[in-house]
Amino acid sequence: MNELDARIQSFIEAPGDPGPGALEARFNALALELFADQYERNAAYRRFCRARRAEPGRLRSWWEIPAVPLKAFKELTLACEPPETAAAVFMTSGSTDPARRGRNYHPHLRLYDASLRANFGEWFLPDRERMRLLVLNQPADQQPNSSLAYFLTRLFDFYGASGSGFFIGESGLHLDSLVDELRRAEEGGEAVGLLGTSFAYVHLLDALRAAGLSFRLPEGSRLLDTGGFKGRSREVSSAELLALFDEHLGIPAPLAVNYYGMTEISTQYYDHSLRSFVQGSTAEPRHKTVPHWARIAIIDPGTREPVGPGERGLIVHFDLANRGSCLAVMAEDIGHAVRAGTAGPQDPGGFVLHGRAAGTEARGCSITLDELLAANAGARA
Amino acid sequence: MSSVVVATEPTRDLQTIDGFFLPQLSEEELAELDWTTQSFAGAELRMPVVTPALVQVVAERLVAAQAEFLADRPVMEIADVVGRAMSRWYDAEYAPRRLAEALLPEITGYAPEMVRRGLRPYMKTFRRDRLLRFLAQDFENPLVLDGFQPNRAGGRSRAFGPRLTTQIFAGNVPGLPAWNMICALLVKSATLGKSSSQEPLFGVLVAASIAEEDPGLGRCLAVLNWRGGEDDVERAAFERADAVTATGGVRAVESIARRVPVGVPFVAYGHKVSFGVIGHEALALNRYADTARRVAQDVSQYDQQGCLSPHAVFVERNGAVDPRTFAAALAAEMARFERDRPRAVISLEESVAIEDVRSGYEFRAYEDPDATHVHASADGTAWTVVYEERPERFELSPLNRVVRVHPIDDIAEIERRLAPLRRHLQTAGIACAPDRAGSWADLLGRCGVDRVCAVGQMPQPAAGWHHDGRGSLASLVRWVDIEGAAETEFERYDPEWTAPRP
Amino acid sequence: MSGTQVPPPGPTAARPLPLGSSDMLADRVALVTGASRGIGATIARALAAHGATVAVNYLSRHDRAQEVVSEIRAGGGRAEAFAADVTDAAAVSAMAARVSERFGPVNLLVNNALREYRFDPLARRTAWDIPWEHYERQFEGSLGGAFNACRAVMPGMRDAGDGRIVNLVTDLIERPSIGYHDYTTAKAALLGFSRNLAADLGPFGITVNCVAPGLVHPTDASNRTTDQQRDELEVVTPLRRLASPEDVAGAILYFASPWSSFVTGACLFVDGGLVMR
Ligand SMILES: NC(=O)c1ccc[n+]([C@@H]2O[C@H](COP(=O)([O-])OP(=O)(O)OC[C@H]3O[C@@H](n4cnc5c(N)ncnc54)[C@H](OP(=O)(O)O)[C@@H]3O)[C@@H](O)[C@H]2O)c1
């Protein structure tokens, strides 16, 4: 951890003068400094930047920092330190071929942790220090290359009150012990927090339904979920999921917080719903929030220019906590920006995530080779 | 975020235009239909809401009109009428042409200049003399469409077209519905056309100009729009038809194929893949820049949306300029085409697909800069030329003006590379010396290609082309043979021998 | 979150920039040969003032090249000095590779370097005694140097589908007021070379043009001309003065800018109207 890291960390933890101009200036200065550092130390990224004629000293604004596409994490070694010295290597899931998995190298996880803590407290636990956390995921020691497992395990470490635990192991969901815990909570009257992926919840809800079980968890109980259903056998819309949470767990919609995160970055973006609810203001319409050490730009990939609020565009991350690789990352997700104040005067604004940018039929005959060959197999003679 | 300005649409009076063609219905009947509109930047298309009942009525009247105006019409007369109707389009002041030139760019997003310059030669495909080529291509003696004619087997044959063909039109390239409708008319079939929501206008304009020339023939054409896949409507549309054609993507064609009743001939113009092959002769120092220009036209015309547009070009290595230099020249030509015929604004997903291709090759170029290079428009995704020496396999382009250039030592190499695509290949645009063209065509035909043309002409198939390897007319007709032996036998029943003498 | 882009402020001027400043050339990586002093140094400064990143080439005067670089940087511009003898093909291609590594491929080349030459109107060699070797030396310098530099940057320009080459010639090729046979002949050859290049590189979106200055004052090369000669030249020049290095740099800016994107194979005379064509 060097001197720049230390300054970024203190910026994450205590941004100082909260005036929007001052905050923006500090963010900009740190972003450009971090960019210069990553440019110097990350050879593959330097090459990427040179092709775009972007160099430290040449850029005036964080906005101009070249954002690497996710593909770069698969095809290049985007590391500022020798990869073998990394404290953690988080890999994307999906591909069976390990060589085709994206990798994010972290020389240390202090900034990751700082980002995680500053955010989680604000958006998930604004009203308390700790809570009993029931995690529907494997712990990090079982999944050393999963950023999700690391994230959830750190939440458990930092915020888990006694009685917290993990309820998915190598053998799958530990339904019985989880049901015991839920029942204990229901009877004891002490609020609990559930953490997991949307898919794990679907699995749980299916199991509860099959067993004819449902719970009214004590007031203040809440739930954090993330992620989509890509490649899974079953898809559930987020509205359906919210209704099921209420029905089977007794967790009202505003207390079911969804967050958006990716292996390739080091910051998570939470729904503002829980915090708004706790503050007594409206939680709708729901959107994600952007903390002060990150920026989200919504761009038109055709022109690379930002689009207006409400307009669909591609999500680009600028994340000071993403120290080990590149602070600017172009996601493959589509979203739209939300102006501050949209959901009440306290609302800082943010963005709405629509999902992955793939699979829509284009104007003409655009199709991938695999689709074409697959289609051919099923056609009538 | 407060500094982001959201543009407001200027309000403009929209011109309302008929987005349907239904001469079979009276004013009163039309007035009773439910109506909807589809709006574009410069106009609003008025269309009836299509119900199974409406389709049934229209289909019945089409069949009746076919019997009245088409079934006994000599084929040469039909060619005359259609030829005359289409010749109206050669006048730049012809109102439907002006309308098409004004509105198609708005509807499709294609550059006005590109539409204008694409439409003009396309309509000439239907000049009277070229319509005769359509006929000659498929019928040794086109008079078989009018009556029984001697055949080689010693008997006589006649070709009957469908009474009614239901045709699902494509919308990716303006103009295609004209081809479909005219082919049907030449075999004396009425057409119930379903226009594409992407481009619902052109078929209507063509039908109207045929009706202007000959109202009877016009009564044999109807163009409607419904959402593709609407089951009950399509069932009604297929029920009365003697044949069904569909031009469209894999998914659309597959879905229609499943629903066409068994026994009804189904002609599918499905997803096809085209490419170019450049011989060393076309890379001569006095030719290569022009060759690049032609390839750029082939790729850029209609933003590569047509099945006729090349996904990739194979370039011979032993030319005066090497394939890599050719790729650079091609890139420069792509940029020039973009200047006056800019690519349409594309969707987010399409842009992402292009960025994805570009970045993949960019990263590969880091490893091996000599074998891979990406030429790309500077701001945005307007055009992309990828030079790739050793492709793992033949990849399809995400379209919208993205083309790959692969060097080859010998054309024989492409046979293996194209093997997986055999059933999907269509046009090969080639440039080589005349004495090699024949053997190239042999090889390309073996690969699965059904059209060999010159580079620069890929988007404009010649009149009469065996579209997707079949006769556009022949695939619609049903043959009836009178056997030669029968005719001899019939002699036995000649009244001379069989009638009692008075 | 402010998603809007702020245009970078132009370089702040340490001293007045006679040719102004902008970020018009922000996408240019310029290589100016012989930019340690004289006209080349002025060209380098002017390009940088308009946003270009400049590789300042020199032969031996590192201090002078570094001075130009420092001056550009002080003004907020980007530059670095690169030594290479333009008549040495290997050295030039190594330089191009270094520039490319540092700044990205060169997309603006100004062939300005001039091999040591004594412009002494009174001690010049005459047609009847100049040896062939003198011609050869100038061919090697003016033409060979440009050839080497062009060859080195051409692949990058071709790959980018974009490039500008500007070659410095002289108005003496049209109006040999003083018979510097070897120098002028080599420059005339450079003009022919440039036009051929323009024809061949056009298809790739690369332009090649020439700038032909009249006598430029002050420069080391024009030092030996006498006051009287300069006065005489001013009197016959329609604009009635000599060229300044800035006058030449202005023409270079034009050929470097988007304003000349449809001009290639041209030769622009910057001599106050002495030559009109
Ligand atoms: N001055 C005039 O009146 C005039 C008129 C018409 C045209 N021009 C043209 O304008 C251009 C510049 O002239 P100038 O008077 O400014 O020249 P200059 O003052 O003599 O400067 C010469 C420059 O070229 C460099 N150089 C010399 N030989 C070189 C080599 N072999 N490789 C690389 N660099 C080399 C020198 O570097 P070092 O500093 O390291 O030696 C110096 O930077 C020339 O092409 C000339 O023909 C000049």
Side-chain angles (χ1 to χ4, degrees):
Chain A
M1 177 132 159
N2 62 20
E3 179 270 336
L4 175 59
D5 291 1
R7 280 190 290 130
I8 293 174
Q9 182 170 347
S10 65
F11 179 67
I12 292 176
E13 285 164 354
D17 180 354
L23 205 56
E24 176 65 21
R26 289 198 65 194
F27 176 84
N28 199 42
L30 282 173
L32 292 178
E33 253 187 272
L34 180 56
F35 165 65
D37 186 80
Q38 293 181 331
Y39 182 94
E40 276 320 312
R41 300 206 274 155
N42 182 338
Y45 184 52
R46 189 159 61 239
R47 185 142 200 186
F48 180 82
C49 292
R50 248 200 331 259
R52 284 151 188 77
R53 304 203 182 276
E55 265 190 83
R58 206 172 199 193
L59 309 188
R60 313 281 156 181
S61 160
W62 57 267
W63 161 249
E64 297 164 317
I65 297 171
V68 293
L70 297 189
K71 211 173 206 163
F73 289 86
K74 293 195 182 94
E75 312 224 338
L76 305 174
T77 304
L78 285 178
C80 292
E81 316 277 337
E84 57 282 0
T85 66
V89 185
F90 292 148
M91 296 191 197
T92 55
S93 54
S95 176
T96 44
D97 176 4
R100 304 285 305 168
R101 290 168 68 181
R103 289 149 196 268
N104 199 3
Y105 298 92
H106 296 268
H108 59 76
L109 290 151
R110 300 234 181 82
L111 297 182
Y112 191 102
D113 286 353
S115 161
L116 163 158
R117 297 180 74 153
N119 237 350
F120 188 76
E122 173 113 356
W123 302 106
F124 196 76
L125 290 181
D127 51 345
R128 51 177 80 212
E129 289 288 305
R130 281 174 172 271
M131 185 171 222
R132 192 129 70 85
L133 297 176
L134 312 180
V135 185
L136 303 189
N137 203 75
Q138 282 178 256
D141 53 7
Q142 290 178 18
Q143 293 185 321
N145 293 322
S146 160
S147 60
L148 177 74
Y150 177 81
F151 170 69
L152 296 174
T153 304
R154 287 313 256 173
L155 295 179
F156 170 90
D157 295 344
F158 291 135
Y159 300 98
S162 73
S164 299
F166 292 83
F167 294 88
I168 290 185
E170 268 148 11
S171 56
L173 178 64
H174 302 157
L175 184 64
D176 293 345
S177 50
L178 181 60
V179 165
D180 287 348
E181 286 303 323
L182 293 172
R183 192 164 289 140
R184 201 144 65 93
E186 198 175 35
E187 285 160 5
E190 198 205 323
V192 294
L194 280 82
L195 311 177
T197 61
S198 310
F199 187 69
Y201 286 114
V202 171
H203 197 53
L204 169 66
L205 292 164
D206 284 348
L208 292 181
R209 191 163 18 194
L213 288 170
S214 73
F215 299 90
R216 306 301 311 162
L217 290 174
E219 196 179 320
S221 292
R222 58 199 66 183
L223 162 164
L224 182 68
D225 89 313
T226 188
F229 295 89
K230 216 173 157 33
R232 304 294 194 165
S233 51
R234 175 153 172 233
E235 284 200 22
V236 182
S237 76
S238 57
E240 264 177 89
L241 208 50
L242 288 176
L244 290 171
F245 289 149
D246 200 359
E247 187 187 329
H248 287 277
L249 299 169
I251 295 177
L255 296 186
V257 175
N258 180 271
Y259 82 88
Y260 166 47
M262 303 192 302
T263 303
E264 294 87 347
I265 52 167
S266 301
T267 287
Q268 298 77 31
Y269 304 89
Y270 294 77
D271 286 346
H272 68 99
S273 62
L274 185 144
R275 188 180 172 84
S276 300
F277 183 80
V278 168
Q279 290 172 338
S281 64
T282 164
E284 296 293 329
R286 221 176 243 257
H287 63 75
K288 306 262 180 285
T289 54
V290 184
H292 65 264
W293 62 90
R295 296 287 183 276
I296 290 282
I298 309 282
I299 63 153
D300 173 351
T303 60
R304 300 189 193 114
E305 294 292 323
V307 300
E311 260 180 76
R312 268 161 37 96
L314 204 60
I315 295 179
V316 182
H317 297 263
F318 298 86
D319 177 10
L320 294 185
N322 212 30
R323 204 267 160 272
S325 50
C326 302
L327 81 125
V329 176
M330 188 182 313
E332 286 166 1
D333 298 303
I334 288 180
H336 73 253
V338 175
R339 275 189 224 265
T342 304
Q346 302 277 336
D347 177 8
F351 66 100
V352 171
L353 179 67
H354 295 214
R356 304 263 301 183
T360 53
E361 198 150 7
R363 268 187 301 168
C365 301
S366 175
I367 185 173
T368 67
L369 183 61
D370 296 316
E371 280 177 285
L372 182 64
L373 299 180
N376 181 40
R380 98 174 190 173
Chain B
M1 214 153 55
S2 50
S3 49
V4 182
V5 182
V6 183
T8 50
E9 281 282 311
T11 46
R12 201 160 25 134
D13 285 333
L14 291 184
Q15 195 183 358
T16 301
I17 290 163
D18 283 350
F20 66 98
F21 183 74
L22 273 184
Q24 300 79 8
L25 265 54
S26 68
E27 286 300 325
E28 297 74 49
E29 286 171 315
L30 286 173
E32 276 168 28
L33 300 176
D34 288 333
W35 292 86
T36 166
T37 55
Q38 209 177 322
S39 301
F40 300 97
E44 199 174 56
L45 295 190
R46 190 172 74 107
M47 299 167 169
V49 175
V50 177
T51 60
L54 173 61
V55 168
Q56 224 155 20
V57 172
V58 172
E60 260 150 41
R61 296 194 187 166
L62 283 167
V63 171
Q66 193 268 347
E68 189 176 347
F69 303 109
L70 210 44
D72 299 322
R73 202 73 173 268
V75 64
M76 290 307 161
E77 206 180 302
I78 299 173
D80 277 348
V81 173
V82 173
R84 276 203 306 276
M86 292 300 110
S87 69
R88 294 166 181 252
W89 286 77
Y90 312 152
D91 172 7
E93 297 306 312
Y94 183 49
R97 172 166 162 182
R98 289 183 44 185
L99 196 64
E101 288 177 352
L103 290 185
L104 290 182
E106 304 276 6
I107 293 173
T108 58
Y110 291 132
E113 183 74 359
M114 193 164 72
V115 169
R116 193 175 65 74
R117 291 177 62 165
L119 227 42
R120 196 175 40 192
Y122 179 69
M123 295 311 275
K124 302 240 155 120
T125 314
F126 307 111
R127 238 166 47 189
R128 183 182 177 279
D129 60 308
R130 302 212 176 146
L131 292 175
L132 300 186
R133 286 186 215 172
F134 274 84
L135 291 165
Q137 181 82 301
D138 282 15
F139 304 105
E140 207 171 317
N141 175 2
L143 295 181
V144 289
L145 289 161
D146 293 339
F148 286 95
Q149 301 293 334
N151 63 25
R152 289 221 186 82
R156 286 185 299 153
S157 294
R158 176 169 180 178
F160 285 91
R163 285 165 302 173
L164 172 63
T165 308
T166 293
Q167 310 213 54
I168 312 293
F169 297 149
N172 52 338
V173 166
L176 290 182
W179 186 293
N180 300 126
M181 279 189 288
I182 291 171
C183 285
L185 286 177
L186 289 177
V187 297
K188 306 186 185 180
S189 170
T191 286
L192 169 57
K194 178 211 161 300
S195 62
S196 158
S197 312
Q198 290 178 76
E199 194 285 276
L201 181 64
F202 195 76
V204 171
L205 296 180
V206 168
S209 58
I210 290 170
E212 232 179 296
E213 186 63 38
D214 185 316
L217 279 200
R219 297 277 292 274
C220 300
L221 301 172
V223 181
L224 291 168
N225 182 266
W226 63 82
R227 212 166 35 79
E230 249 181 70
D231 203 35
D232 46 353
V233 170
E234 290 184 355
R235 198 169 326 179
F238 299 152
E239 200 157 71
R240 292 305 306 264
D242 287 340
V244 175
T245 76
T247 314
V250 175
R251 274 160 280 215
V253 167
E254 257 186 32
S255 136
I256 294 163
R258 275 195 301 273
R259 283 172 300 124
V260 172
V262 175
V264 174
F266 175 52
V267 183
Y269 299 110
H271 195 95
K272 292 290 169 185
V273 177
S274 300
F275 59 92
V277 190
I278 308 299
H280 62 83
E281 303 92 336
L283 301 171
L285 290 177
N286 60 346
R287 289 282 182 268
Y288 81 93
D290 182 54
T291 307
R293 191 182 199 81
R294 289 163 191 252
V295 173
Q297 272 165 12
D298 287 346
V299 177
S300 303
Q301 183 65 24
Y302 294 132
D303 299 356
Q304 214 179 2
Q305 297 297 311
C307 283
L308 307 158
S309 315
H311 286 247
V313 240
F314 298 95
V315 181
E316 278 191 337
R317 271 212 177 84
N318 53 345
V321 302
D322 59 21
R324 173 135 185 178
T325 305
F326 179 76
L330 172 59
E333 291 295 345
M334 296 288 293
R336 287 176 195 122
F337 198 99
E338 169 70 16
R339 273 183 84 94
D340 58 65
R341 282 163 271 181
R343 197 211 51 208
V345 175
I346 59 176
S347 74
L348 211 54
E349 287 78 6
E350 289 171 297
S351 291
V352 170
I354 293 174
E355 285 293 351
D356 193 53
V357 168
R358 286 184 179 183
S359 58
Y361 284 106
E362 178 183 352
F363 300 148
R364 273 211 252 158
Y366 292 177
E367 308 292 315
D368 193 357
D370 291 333
T372 311
H373 186 78
V374 181
H375 302 267
S377 48
D379 325 291
T381 54
W383 56 265
T384 310
V385 175
V386 174
Y387 174 79
E388 187 188 19
E389 211 143 89
R390 290 178 292 274
E392 275 169 38
R393 58 175 195 178
F394 183 94
E395 286 292 346
L396 301 190
S397 163
L399 308 187
N400 292 307
R401 302 188 182 174
V402 177
V403 67
R404 289 175 175 84
V405 173
H406 304 302
I408 50 170
D409 289 314
D410 188 298
I411 192 172
E413 286 168 37
I414 72 172
E415 191 164 3
R416 183 179 41 80
R417 295 208 207 153
L418 294 174
L421 281 162
R422 213 191 133 69
R423 290 151 74 189
H424 302 281
L425 295 179
Q426 189 200 60
T427 298
I430 66 172
C432 65
D435 62 344
R436 293 207 293 162
S439 61
W440 278 26
D442 284 339
L443 182 132
L444 291 165
R446 211 159 52 230
C447 290
V449 159
D450 61 51
R451 174 172 168 244
V452 177
C453 70
V455 293
Q457 296 179 355
M458 293 182 71
Q460 296 116 32
W465 167 48
H466 285 127
H467 191 175
D468 289 358
R470 282 175 301 242
S472 305
L473 307 181
S475 61
L476 289 173
V477 302
R478 178 173 53 85
W479 287 96
V480 178
D481 297 337
I482 304 174
E483 297 192 351
E487 304 227 38
T488 327
E489 290 298 304
F490 296 157
E491 288 298 324
R492 284 159 44 91
Y493 313 120
D494 191 306
E496 186 159 2
W497 320 126
T498 53
R501 280 168 203 265
Chain C
M1 190 183 88
S2 135
T4 44
Q5 201 172 354
V6 188
T12 43
R15 54 182 201 134
L17 293 163
L19 295 167
S21 67
S22 74
D23 61 357
M24 178 172 62
L25 302 179
D27 64 344
R28 295 291 115 180
V29 172
L31 169 58
V32 184
T33 65
S36 47
R37 51 201 166 89
I39 299 170
T42 302
I43 292 171
R45 282 191 292 261
L47 292 173
H50 286 275
T53 301
V54 183
V56 174
N57 159 259
Y58 64 99
L59 178 62
S60 55
R61 312 250 177 112
H62 178 74
D63 50 329
R64 299 290 300 270
Q66 207 45 52
E67 234 169 79
V68 175
V69 168
S70 308
E71 221 178 299
I72 289 174
R73 290 193 183 150
R78 289 149 40 84
E80 205 163 294
F82 294 87
D85 181 343
V86 293
T87 61
D88 175 348
V92 172
S93 87
M95 166 174 68
R98 274 186 295 137
V99 174
S100 182
E101 170 62 24
R102 175 76 184 83
F103 295 127
V106 172
N107 55 15
L108 169 59
L109 168 65
V110 182
N111 283 307
N112 164 84
L114 174 64
R115 197 173 228 193
E116 202 57 59
Y117 189 80
R118 255 174 78 127
F119 292 93
D120 188 340
L122 303 177
R124 68 179 179 88
R125 300 296 289 264
T126 54
W128 50 90
D129 75 0
I130 181 168
W132 174 242
E133 289 69 35
H134 285 208
Y135 284 96
E136 276 183 338
R137 244 186 93 70
Q138 281 304 306
F139 281 133
E140 214 175 280
S142 287
L143 191 56
F147 172 85
N148 289 334
C150 289
R151 278 293 281 267
V153 302
M154 247 184 253
M157 290 185 174
R158 186 200 61 179
D159 279 350
D162 167 34
R164 300 290 174 90
I165 297 175
V166 192
N167 296 331
L168 271 286
V169 296
T170 166
D171 76 339
L172 295 173
I173 59 177
E174 278 298 325
R175 188 182 188 278
S177 2
I178 302 172
Y180 296 123
H181 303 277
D182 43 0
Y183 169 76
T184 304
T185 307
K187 289 291 191 183
L190 181 55
L191 175 63
F193 169 77
S194 304
R195 289 181 173 155
N196 279 284
L197 225 55
D200 242 19
L201 296 183
F204 304 99
I206 303 169
T207 69
V208 187
N209 292 288
C210 289
V211 171
L215 184 65
V216 180
H217 196 73
T219 60
D220 294 352
S222 62
N223 271 348
R224 274 169 211 274
T225 49
T226 63
D227 290 344
Q228 193 202 347
Q229 260 172 342
R230 290 199 293 270
D231 289 347
E232 277 169 13
L233 200 57
E234 288 189 339
V235 171
V236 295
T237 300
L239 289 175
R240 302 183 73 79
R241 64 171 178 81
L242 299 180
S244 69
E246 283 76 17
D247 291 326
V248 181
I252 302 282
L253 281 176
Y254 167 70
F255 284 127
S257 78
W259 297 326
S260 65
S261 50
F262 202 53
V263 180
T264 195
C267 181
L268 187 55
F269 287 84
V270 181
D271 65 356
L274 208 54
V275 169
M276 294 192 183
R277 54 167 298 169

